Amino acid sequence: MKKFTFKVSFLLLSGMFALTANAQQTPKGSKKFGKPFIAASNYCGTVEYEEQLSQKNPERAKKAEFEEWIAPKVAEARAKRLQKNGNGTNEVVTIPMVFHVIHNGDAIGENENISDEQILSQIQVLNEDYRRAADTPGFNSNPVGADMEIEFCLAKRTPNGLPSNGIVRYNIGDDNGWQQEEVELIKAQTQWDPEKYLNIWIVEDIFIPGGYLAGYAQFPTQSGLEGLGGQTSTANTDGVALGARYVGSVNYYAEGTYDEVRNMGRSASHEIGHFFGLRHIWGDTGDCATADDYCDDTPTALNANYGCQIGIDSCPESEGLDMIENYMDYTDDVCLNTFTQDQKDRMQAVLANSPRRKNLPLADSCTPGTASLDNDGAIYLLPFSTNCSNDFSPVLSFANRGTNTITSAVINYMVDDAEAITYSWTGSLAPNEDARIELPAMGAQEGEHTFTVAIQSINGGADALASNNTRTNDFSFDPIEDELIFDTETVTITVQTDDAASEVTWLLMDSDQNTIAYGTGYEDTPGGVLDVQEVEVNSNSCYAFIIIDAGVDGIPEGYYSLETSDGTIIKEQALDDILYADFAQFGVNIVLGNKEIEKTLNNIVLYPNPANNILNIAVTNGMDTPDSYTIYNSLGQIMDNGIFTSSLQTLDITNYSNGVYFVKLGKDNQAKTLQFVKY
Ligand SMILES: [Zn+2]
């Protein structure tokens, strides 16, 4: 069976607000399959993320409900501030932070595995920006500018009280960046207690169609009760996700890896502003009459501002120029230096009242930990990638969270209720180190499945902490539908835009996650632009086509078509009514799996098991035989292989060392792996 992982639903679109046209970004960075996270901008995804959370959790407060709840509390915070000479509350709070660095094996300081120094420079920026610190880039002389009286510290203890430097690294990424839904899975597995830590996840690029995000934050809620009644809780994703190149400041750590214009740590200042309840200064309505960030001292604005242009007045009907220096705009880092007094009142109200947020200043997370825990392994599970392939290979991060060095571990894994397969790990992991484990490829029947992986023992004994030993991943294993498979060597892409051609961008991605063709940067032209491109495609591959209308006003008279070499239409789509984007997927020359073969592979038994001298591989139920077998040891080394000559293969394993072995059985393009123990 060939599987698609990028089945797309545009659920998000059903709740889209007025979207703002965003600056064009070249689509070269987009090379990842998966469900696109549709964001209106290529900078901050918080507004769209909040919409996604609301759909998953109907209990979560809608914008109006939240504002109704917070309004009297903001008034209270304001009264308190005005009592104390209008600015300081003289109650500086400190927020403990933990940084989870999700990398793909690069050395510390390389690429997305950013150095401790780069993270420390981020803390410095936050402490300047949130304190309006004199003689720093975070100072302003604006009469409405405010010292937020919030400081930040790096955690010095883990949730279990062990010593920590507040930076945790996980070797679990790949070099293709992240879909936002993958980031969500990682967040839930790695989060530290959100009552005690502001969790920051640093990942490589977070893709959206046509670009990537700097980051997104989870907005505060008014109720700690959401998640009851079977609803999805949002507590375990609370925090801020940031692209690695947006973290830290070139001013304080020049050797780091930075974005060109967002290189002074202000993406974190912005996202943490959302985390404490601030909205974008233009209010995200796309209409001056309704634009509202619930702060009177930030002039009304229509849209996000980019670059660093002063003197912009996007809502001339209302007083004041756009406050492009406000951290809650999208201007370049170098132009940002202002939070206002009204923004402060909102943050103080959230800090005093919002679940989780109100506990952060009380936590002892920045007090050095002194506890110890002998043998504690932890497992984190990378979301499966089954792009256009017959099988999947789960990837784990196996981490040492205890005090002892770990030299061996026994890990069990299974699909659904199948018998567990044992993986024996040996090596040397110092405390806080982790190892990346790629399990042998596995197959599955079409449909929904649960993959479970669990630590059985550490250093030959019990693991001291059970709570981080087991991970599960629900996944869908679906064959691509016959009608989406085409026999062709080329695909001809025809795109007809409307007059506003500059608003149109499209991409074709292959199953190696590369953009292999795209159209962007068209000039507005009466009658639109017609772009026709013929692209070579490969057999046994899957492709995804995405077209985006940044104007979000449809593409009247516009359409696209995808055709094979012989003129067969893969997809033809009028674009008059698209809301933001349209998506097509197809496979080329894929041989689909056969149910009979699957049955054959599922009716094989190994016996005896455990085995000492002789191992039998038998086909039960009188089915056809597999074609081949390959035997691997637990390190993945091939011990033996051969072809099936009858429904019973008898192998001599006398010379194998004692341990766990895997038998991979193949027939045509399908495979199944079984396990036996040699004693
Ligand atoms: Zn934002």
Side-chain angles (χ1 to χ4, degrees):
M1 289 188 300
K2 293 288 171 183
K3 316 298 185 310
F4 267 124
T5 53
F6 44 86
K7 291 219 161 173
V8 168
S9 81
F10 285 118
L11 265 183
L12 275 169
L13 288 172
S14 63
M16 283 311 259
F17 344 85
L19 293 159
T20 52
N22 54 308
Q24 289 282 346
Q25 199 167 27
T26 90
K28 284 176 193 159
S30 290
K31 48 175 185 163
K32 184 85 176 177
F33 274 147
K35 185 192 291 178
F37 179 67
I38 308 290
S41 86
N42 49 31
Y43 180 52
C44 163
T46 296
V47 171
E48 292 79 6
Y49 180 60
E50 189 56 33
E51 183 67 15
Q52 189 185 61
L53 290 179
S54 292
Q55 288 183 359
K56 284 184 189 162
N57 186 343
E59 305 285 302
R60 192 169 169 82
K62 300 286 181 293
K63 183 175 177 180
E65 293 165 341
F66 179 82
E67 293 303 335
E68 196 181 327
W69 173 77
I70 199 78
K73 296 173 171 63
V74 172
E76 209 174 298
R78 179 165 305 140
K80 195 171 162 190
R81 170 171 60 83
L82 292 173
Q83 259 178 4
K84 297 195 175 168
N85 301 326
N87 200 349
T89 63
N90 304 316
E91 290 168 14
V92 176
V93 298
T94 303
I95 305 295
M97 300 180 83
V98 56
F99 285 75
H100 305 277
V101 182
I102 315 296
H103 65 94
N104 60 39
D106 288 314
I108 294 175
E110 302 272 318
N111 299 319
E112 77 289 344
N113 195 7
I114 62 171
S115 65
D116 290 4
E117 290 82 358
Q118 193 167 341
I119 291 169
L120 289 167
S121 75
Q122 180 63 67
I123 301 270
Q124 183 176 346
V125 168
L126 291 170
N127 283 326
E128 293 171 356
D129 291 356
Y130 279 76
R131 290 306 316 273
R132 196 200 196 190
D135 302 321
T136 76
F139 182 74
N140 66 74
S141 54
N142 191 324
V144 298
D147 169 2
M148 309 307 276
E149 295 185 296
I150 297 174
E151 295 184 357
F152 300 85
C153 62
L154 259 181
K156 288 199 168 68
R157 60 168 57 212
T158 71
N160 296 309
L162 274 70
S164 170
N165 69 349
I167 300 170
V168 193
R169 297 177 189 276
Y170 309 81
N171 179 5
I172 197 171
D174 60 30
D175 57 6
N176 288 310
W178 294 87
Q179 290 294 335
Q180 182 263 352
E181 64 177 10
E182 296 179 318
V183 176
E184 289 301 290
L185 285 171
I186 293 291
K187 282 168 64 183
Q189 293 184 50
T190 54
Q191 188 196 49
W192 285 13
D193 184 350
E195 304 273 351
K196 295 184 173 172
Y197 304 87
L198 164 48
N199 283 266
I200 307 282
W201 289 274
I202 300 174
V203 299
E204 213 187 355
D205 303 319
I206 307 165
F207 287 116
I208 56 174
Y212 40 79
L213 292 176
Y216 61 95
Q218 188 162 318
F219 209 70
T221 63
Q222 90 280 36
S223 164
L225 298 178
E226 63 174 33
L228 294 180
Q231 303 296 345
T232 317
S233 169
T234 55
N236 71 354
T237 52
D238 204 1
V240 171
L242 288 168
R245 74 184 77 177
Y246 302 94
V247 178
S249 173
V250 71
N251 293 340
Y252 304 127
Y253 182 65
E255 294 80 7
T257 308
Y258 301 102
D259 180 73
E260 260 174 60
V261 297
R262 307 192 188 277
N263 55 6
M264 289 171 58
R266 267 52 195 276
S267 300
S269 300
H270 177 105
E271 295 304 337
I272 292 170
H274 286 311
F275 180 84
F276 285 121
L278 299 194
R279 298 193 184 279
H280 292 138
I281 56 163
W282 66 97
D284 293 283
T285 63
D287 172 11
C288 289
T290 55
D292 193 0
D293 67 348
Y294 302 88
C295 294
D296 291 339
D297 57 6
T298 56
T300 308
L302 177 62
N303 284 320
N305 291 298
Y306 291 84
C308 209
Q309 209 181 330
I310 50 172
I312 291 177
D313 192 0
S314 61
C315 290
E317 303 285 298
S318 39
E319 205 180 317
L321 299 175
D322 291 14
M323 192 184 265
I324 66 148
E325 66 274 28
N326 196 287
Y327 296 112
M328 301 315 289
D329 203 344
Y330 282 179
T331 24
D332 292 350
D333 276 11
V334 70
C335 318
L336 299 172
N337 63 15
T338 304
F339 284 125
T340 67
Q341 289 170 352
D342 286 356
Q343 287 177 324
K344 175 176 184 169
D345 295 338
R346 269 181 81 83
M347 279 206 204
Q348 292 293 337
V350 164
L351 260 172
N353 297 285
S354 188
R356 299 188 288 277
R357 310 287 182 278
K358 65 182 176 189
N359 290 327
L360 291 174
L362 311 174
D364 62 355
S365 311
C366 289
T367 305
T370 54
S372 68
L373 202 57
D374 291 349
N375 295 321
D376 180 29
I379 280 185
Y380 311 95
L381 185 55
L382 185 73
F384 292 159
S385 175
T386 55
N387 289 332
C388 211
S389 68
N390 276 326
D391 48 22
F392 60 95
S393 302
V395 176
L396 315 174
S397 158
F398 171 58
N400 185 355
R401 298 286 177 242
T403 315
N404 291 347
T405 293
I406 296 180
T407 55
S408 70
V410 177
I411 295 167
N412 281 358
Y413 61 96
M414 66 178 90
V415 175
D416 303 327
D417 299 326
E419 207 174 320
I421 300 172
T422 299
Y423 184 93
S424 298
W425 181 89
T426 54
S428 181
L429 274 187
N432 286 320
E433 285 185 346
D434 74 332
R436 186 188 182 93
I437 296 176
E438 297 187 14
L439 296 174
M442 311 173 76
Q445 300 267 16
E446 175 184 346
E448 302 294 319
H449 297 283
T450 301
F451 178 80
T452 306
V453 56
I455 295 171
Q456 294 306 301
S457 67
I458 297 287
N459 289 342
D463 185 291
L465 186 71
S467 59
N468 54 13
N469 286 1
T470 303
R471 299 286 171 197
T472 60
N473 187 2
D474 294 326
F475 67 102
S476 174
F477 218 52
D478 300 322
I480 174 174
E481 291 100 15
D482 286 333
E483 58 268 27
L484 289 177
I485 300 171
F486 298 87
D487 185 1
T488 186
E489 287 172 0
T490 62
V491 170
T492 301
I493 300 164
T494 305
V495 173
Q496 172 68 55
T497 76
D498 59 350
D499 299 356
S502 62
E503 293 174 352
V504 177
T505 297
W506 62 264
L507 313 166
L508 183 71
M509 296 182 291
D510 69 10
S511 49
D512 290 327
Q513 306 175 349
N514 298 306
T515 297
I516 58 166
Y518 65 89
T520 191
Y522 300 121
E523 280 183 28
D524 292 349
T525 313
V529 172
L530 179 68
D531 189 359
V532 181
Q533 293 188 28
E534 189 181 66
V535 184
E536 281 184 25
V537 291
N538 298 320
S539 291
N540 228 22
S541 297
C542 297
Y543 294 86
F545 174 86
I546 298 175
I547 187 164
I548 298 160
D549 168 32
V552 204
D553 50 3
I555 306 179
E557 311 284 308
Y559 65 89
Y560 72 85
S561 73
L562 308 173
E563 281 177 46
T564 66
S565 328
D566 67 5
T568 305
I569 300 292
I570 297 170
K571 187 171 178 187
E572 224 170 12
Q573 180 69 48
L575 298 171
D576 306 61
D577 298 327
I578 65 161
L579 193 47
Y580 179 65
D582 196 69
F583 187 89
Q585 59 187 27
F586 58 94
V588 175
N589 301 354
I590 291 165
V591 182
L592 276 186
N594 174 309
K595 294 275 189 288
E596 288 307 309
I597 296 172
E598 212 166 72
K599 271 189 214 159
T600 300
L601 293 174
N602 283 328
N603 278 294
I604 303 224
V605 293
L606 305 181
Y607 69 90
N609 191 2
N612 182 230
N613 299 315
I614 295 295
L615 177 75
N616 295 294
I617 309 176
V619 183
T620 61
N621 300 342
M623 307 288 293
D624 200 5
T625 63
D627 297 332
S628 64
Y629 63 87
T630 310
I631 301 183
Y632 301 89
N633 65 14
S634 61
L635 300 174
Q637 294 160 332
I638 295 178
M639 305 296 293
D640 192 6
N641 57 50
I643 55 166
F644 270 79
T645 50
S646 73
S647 61
L648 178 67
Q649 294 296 122
T650 300
L651 309 178
D652 183 355
I653 58 165
T654 313
N655 295 328
Y656 288 21
S657 350
N658 291 354
V660 176
Y661 293 85
F662 302 94
V663 181
K664 185 174 180 179
L665 301 156
K667 187 167 180 66
D668 290 355
N669 278 333
Q670 300 182 65
K672 184 180 174 76
T673 302
L674 299 170
Q675 173 222 329
F676 71 93
V677 175
K678 149 79 183 179
Y679 66 94

